[in-house]
Amino acid sequence: MGLVVQKYGGSSVADAEGIKRVAKRIVEAKKNGNQVVAVVSAMGDTTDELIDLAEQVSPMPAGRELDMLLTAGERISMALLAMAIKNLGHEAQSFTGSQAGVITDSVHNKARIIDVTPGRIRTALDEGNIAIVAGFQGVSQDTKDITTLGRGGSDTTAVALAAALDAEVCEIYTDVDGVFTADPRVVKKARKIDWISFEDMLELASSGSKVLLHRCVEYARRYNIPIHVRSSFSSLPGTWVSSEPIEQGDKQVEQAIISGVAHDTSEAKITVVGVPDKPGEAASIFRTIADAEINIDMVVQNVSAASTGLTDISFTLPKTDGRKAIDALEKNKDRIGFDSLRYDDQIGKISLVGAGMKTNPGVTADFFTALSEAGVNIELISTSEIRISVVTRADDVPEAVRAVHTAFGLDSETDEAVVYGGTGR
Ligand code: ASP
Ligand code: MG
């Protein structure tokens, strides 16, 4: 008998109908002879609504209490789902993250899983139950307080449970039919990917693709748990994310040269103007940013003007950290020694991802040609072995993504990309 972990996102359990539909799917997996663990997110936009509510009573809600509040969202869906399954004549028990043995560090609102001890889940399964687990939450090893794993964290719960239970597969059910070569909301002709490697999926996730979170893919790669991304609204075959290509029918799915185009408009750009061109300057700027616990993405330093010996350094960071970064730099302005700061949150990032880049010359040239033919101006560039990213004006992003998608032959013949739910989770 196989053990499968399934995860259902908020859009799949948005209302009573959705919960009943998901219950049927879970029962089907059980009837096919599997032990089933289902991880659920909060219904629809519940998490956003709870955050709004918290901010109405306090502009900066305490992390511990916010976690207490947000975990209620997943508890609602898990209990309702267990009821719906019982109503279909099958045994189900729901468990909070803590009861399921999800042990985390004590960083509220973005805790990391450090261990999973799913003893109660095992027992429930062995007794013939379907186990329903609240996603996105755990309990701190040190403080014993309830924690959450950061937005979208239910995927990580599912993969972590799959690893701890030695499941055959972790199925992630969402409101699109799988991983696409671009965001189907932007590119109508985006094509569904049958198989993608952990490496390419990690790059897509860190470049703004929202279908799977970076942390979840990282976890799956570390424990070598295949992820199967599917829609809970259709019965199409979905996308496999794993270390080795899968077989489909009698044909082996090949590694694509280019896996896809991702975009991200959640970042801003800070330019530090008038920095003395001498050793240690970049170090003190980025130490200041790091001490404020801000992750940066791209960095460029301009050549210094010979007459002044001054240079500009630009970097990108999440918009949500913009204020904090500006404050930290201003506070250290005299010590670092720069003239001024420029803040720009009207930028977007477009990334081309694919392991085939390593061995196919001309990919970079084709990428820039496509952008120039679309009339898109490039502001920053960064590359890794299997990714090229550029920063452009935010307004140019949709056009640029479509142009690059077409240029690399990724367009499908049909409009196959369907967004069933709307939130993409
Ligand atoms: N409900 C949480 C969120 O909306 C966790 C999740 O959906 O995975 O971020
Ligand atoms: Mg959600």
Side-chain angles (χ1 to χ4, degrees):
M1 186 152 60
L3 194 161
V4 295
V5 174
Q6 304 186 325
K7 179 259 171 177
Y8 292 92
S11 55
S12 297
V13 292
D15 51 21
E17 276 322 302
I19 288 174
K20 288 198 268 184
R21 190 169 38 81
V22 165
K24 275 198 207 124
R25 268 204 114 103
I26 294 172
V27 165
E28 226 161 87
K30 168 89 177 167
K31 280 195 193 148
N32 287 339
N34 298 295
Q35 291 190 313
V36 187
V37 177
V39 174
V40 280
S41 292
M43 295 170 71
D45 297 327
T46 303
T47 308
D48 291 306
E49 287 159 16
L50 291 174
I51 291 173
D52 274 358
L53 196 55
E55 286 172 351
Q56 284 174 45
V57 297
S58 160
M60 293 269 273
R64 179 185 187 279
E65 305 311 325
L66 189 59
D67 277 351
M68 229 26 162
L69 179 71
L70 296 190
T71 50
E74 270 69 12
R75 288 178 75 141
I76 294 172
S77 21
M78 75 177 190
L80 289 171
L81 186 54
M83 292 174 197
I85 291 171
K86 280 172 178 283
N87 189 51
L88 296 174
H90 290 259
E91 286 310 314
Q93 282 181 347
S94 64
F95 298 90
T96 64
S98 168
Q99 290 173 327
V102 180
I103 317 287
T104 71
D105 62 20
S106 55
V107 184
H108 284 293
N109 311 150
K110 50 174 178 199
R112 271 186 178 271
I113 296 176
I114 50 185
D115 195 12
V116 182
T117 51
R120 292 193 65 183
I121 304 297
R122 272 258 187 255
T123 308
L125 293 173
D126 290 346
E127 288 169 355
N129 289 288
I130 292 165
I132 313 294
V133 178
F136 168 64
Q137 54 181 270
V139 60
S140 156
Q141 189 170 49
D142 299 338
T143 63
K144 308 286 180 254
D145 280 330
I146 296 301
T147 53
T148 62
L149 307 176
R151 295 308 305 271
S154 300
D155 291 4
T156 314
T157 304
V159 171
L161 271 171
L165 292 164
D166 204 12
E168 274 164 25
V169 57
C170 180
E171 298 179 336
I172 306 255
Y173 285 93
T174 178
D175 67 351
V176 286
D177 285 313
V179 180
F180 283 79
T181 48
D183 185 340
R185 291 165 192 76
V186 174
V187 182
K188 282 270 169 303
K189 296 209 173 301
R191 194 189 310 154
K192 200 211 69 187
I193 299 171
D194 294 328
W195 169 81
I196 182 169
S197 67
F198 285 132
E199 283 68 29
D200 279 16
M201 193 62 235
L202 276 173
E203 288 282 356
L204 283 177
S206 58
S207 306
S209 161
K210 286 174 196 69
V211 60
L212 287 178
L213 280 193
H214 189 269
R215 210 180 255 190
C216 146
V217 184
E218 206 174 43
Y219 212 103
R221 177 173 65 166
R222 178 155 9 114
Y223 293 95
N224 200 17
I225 301 292
I227 299 178
H228 191 186
V229 183
R230 306 181 64 179
S231 166
S232 70
F233 298 82
S234 80
S235 52
L236 295 171
T239 301
W240 285 88
V241 188
S242 62
S243 52
E244 295 297 328
I246 52 155
E247 273 164 41
Q248 232 177 28
D250 47 8
K251 75 171 197 299
Q252 180 87 14
V253 175
E254 300 267 313
Q255 166 91 56
I257 295 175
I258 297 299
S259 285
V261 188
H263 72 274
D264 189 356
T265 48
S266 70
E267 297 201 333
K269 180 172 78 172
I270 290 179
T271 302
V272 189
V273 181
V275 182
D277 195 0
K278 61 176 181 20
E281 281 300 315
S284 64
I285 290 172
F286 292 110
R287 175 60 56 205
T288 304
I289 297 297
D291 288 346
E293 302 216 16
I294 296 168
N295 282 315
I296 57 152
D297 181 21
M298 292 160 120
V299 180
V300 281
Q301 174 172 346
N302 295 338
V303 280
S304 63
S307 53
T308 59
L310 296 177
T311 182
D312 297 343
I313 294 179
S314 299
F315 60 92
T316 62
L317 75 174
K319 273 180 197 169
T320 45
D321 287 332
R323 187 72 260 164
K324 208 161 53 156
I326 295 284
D327 288 348
L329 287 168
E330 284 293 355
K331 223 166 72 197
N332 292 285
K333 184 173 178 189
D334 292 338
R335 189 177 53 76
I336 302 169
F338 58 86
D339 288 341
S340 59
L341 296 173
R342 273 208 302 267
Y343 182 72
D344 179 357
D345 61 6
Q346 295 303 307
I347 61 161
K349 184 172 76 172
I350 297 126
S351 304
L352 185 71
V353 170
M357 252 178 232
K358 280 190 276 199
T359 45
N360 282 272
V363 170
T364 309
D366 292 346
F367 181 60
F368 291 139
T369 304
L371 291 172
S372 87
E373 281 171 0
V376 174
N377 189 41
I378 298 167
E379 301 180 16
L380 303 180
I381 302 169
S382 84
T383 61
S384 81
E385 253 196 324
I386 61 170
R387 175 184 52 80
I388 320 171
S389 303
V390 294
V391 163
T392 66
R393 290 292 88 205
D395 291 347
D396 287 338
V397 165
E399 190 51 44
V401 172
R402 286 191 283 267
V404 170
H405 195 265
T406 304
F408 282 90
L410 297 171
D411 290 356
S412 95
E413 269 96 76
T414 55
D415 288 4
E416 61 174 324
V418 185
V419 181
Y420 301 90
T423 65
R425 295 221 60 87

